[in-house]
């Protein structure tokens, strides 16, 4: 009927306008974040040059300014990462979640060792899933960075991969101070932070997990700490090119 056709056309127009607004906001955020990084780098260099010939009091003030610039740079980089995650078109490919988790644990192990934190990987064998290129690595990098930032010397972080029914789960568990229930509920919003960070890491994790048909949830670690569980769709068989690399299951302990 004509009325239904008119209503359908109106909905189509509204949807197109909303999509245009969303894409415009995402593009603006990405452009601003990218453009701000260059003057920040230049300002940082100038402050470094000024600090070389400054007296002790002035050098202390310049050091404080440098810390604020570094914080702003981290926030800008985080905003750019969020914009990319929200605006990315996912082209999934088969990956072995266990192999990627092992690689990220080995990458972050020197950082953990320097901070006196024990970083451990526990696996249950190959865990095949389909994700966008490097998306799981970005997810794990943000979760591990958050966990290590929350811990002091003597803390532990465990990364666990497992297959649960038709899903693949990646678990990052720490024994740090954890988060309150209210903080956990708000953790995936931008600029929500329980520490000194920019509050964008978990927002990036949430958007990347959602873009790949998955979810991420936070819970208390038994005995204290925070546990993040990333839940992803399982595929029927491990990718042929990576199954050999992930064939050895077990536990990797690094201190």
């Amino acid at each position: 009927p004509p009325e239904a056709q008119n209503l359908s056309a109106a909905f189509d127009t509204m949807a197109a306008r909303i999509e245009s607004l969303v894409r415009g906001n995402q593009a603006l955020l990405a452009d601003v974040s990218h453009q701000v990084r260059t003057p920040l780098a230049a300002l940082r260099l100038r402050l470094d040059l000024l600090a070389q010939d400054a007296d002790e009091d002035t050098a202390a003030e310049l050091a404080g300014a440098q810390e604020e610039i570094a914080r702003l740079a981290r926030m800008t980089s985080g905003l750019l990462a969020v914009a990319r995650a929200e605006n990315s078109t996912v082209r999934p490919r088969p990956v072995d979640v266990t192999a990627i988790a092992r690689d990220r644990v080995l990458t972050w192990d020197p950082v953990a060792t320097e901070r006196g934190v024990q970083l451990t990987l526990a696996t249950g064998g190959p865990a095949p899933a389909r994700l966008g290129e490097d998306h799981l690595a970005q997810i794990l990098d943000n979760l591990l960075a958050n966990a290590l930032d929350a811990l002091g010397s003597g803390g532990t972080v465990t990364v666990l991969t497992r297959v649960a029914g038709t899903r693949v789960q990646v678990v990052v568990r720490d024994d740090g101070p954890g988060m309150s229930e209210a903080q956990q509920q708000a953790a995936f919003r931008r600029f929500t932070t329980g520490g000194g960070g920019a509050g964008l890491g978990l927002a990036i994790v949430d958007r990347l997990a959602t873009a790949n048909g998955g979810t991420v949830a936070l819970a208390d670690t038994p005995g204290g700490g925070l546990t993040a569980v990333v839940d992803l769709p399982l595929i029927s068989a491990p990718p042929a090119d990576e199954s050999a690399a992930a064939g050895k299951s077990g536990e990797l302990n690094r201190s």
Side-chain angles (χ1 to χ4, degrees):
E3 292 83 0
Q5 293 178 10
N6 292 336
L7 182 61
S8 176
F11 271 111
D12 288 344
T13 301
M14 180 180 65
R17 288 177 177 174
I18 292 175
E19 181 179 5
S20 177
L21 286 172
V22 170
R23 289 188 179 277
N25 287 335
Q26 292 170 343
L28 176 63
L29 179 61
D31 289 343
V32 170
S33 298
H34 179 74
Q35 294 298 327
V36 166
R37 296 168 78 179
T38 300
L40 279 177
L43 181 58
R44 203 168 176 180
L45 178 60
R46 290 191 177 190
L47 288 177
D48 281 339
L49 294 175
L50 288 173
Q52 293 178 1
D53 300 322
D55 57 57
E56 185 176 346
D57 292 338
T58 303
E61 289 295 327
L62 291 174
Q66 285 280 40
E67 291 179 3
E68 291 300 314
I69 291 175
R71 188 170 71 90
L72 184 55
R74 290 193 299 270
M75 185 179 299
T76 301
S77 297
L79 282 171
L80 184 57
V82 171
R84 286 172 175 167
E86 290 178 337
N87 205 32
S88 63
T89 300
V90 178
R91 296 179 180 175
R93 62 184 183 92
V95 299
D96 185 351
V97 170
T98 297
I100 294 174
R102 180 179 290 111
D103 174 74
R104 301 326 296 161
V105 167
L106 289 174
T107 299
W108 281 91
D109 182 64
V111 179
T113 300
E114 182 181 355
R115 300 184 185 185
V117 175
Q118 182 178 5
L119 180 57
T120 300
L121 173 66
T123 73
R130 288 186 181 275
L131 297 103
E133 185 175 5
D134 295 330
H135 282 187
L136 183 56
Q138 294 179 54
I139 288 172
L140 282 169
D141 284 347
N142 280 285
L143 290 177
L144 287 171
N146 281 1
L148 291 174
D149 286 344
L151 293 174
S153 180
T156 61
V157 179
T158 301
V159 179
L160 170 67
T161 64
R162 62 193 178 198
V163 175
T166 60
R167 312 292 288 181
V168 176
Q169 291 184 339
V170 183
V171 181
V172 178
R173 180 185 300 128
D174 68 59
D175 59 358
M179 288 183 176
S180 67
E181 184 177 351
Q183 287 175 325
Q184 291 179 22
Q185 292 176 354
F188 300 117
R189 302 173 189 167
R190 293 176 185 169
F191 306 114
T192 300
T193 176
L200 292 167
L202 289 176
I204 295 170
V205 170
D206 179 57
R207 282 147 181 80
L208 288 175
T210 301
N212 286 279
T215 60
V216 58
L218 301 178
D220 294 332
T221 300
L226 185 69
T227 297
V229 180
V230 181
D231 190 88
L232 300 165
L234 174 73
I235 59 177
S236 57
D241 60 338
E242 294 183 3
S243 58
K248 295 181 180 181
S249 63
E251 185 166 317
L252 172 66
N253 290 300
R254 312 289 292 183
S255 60

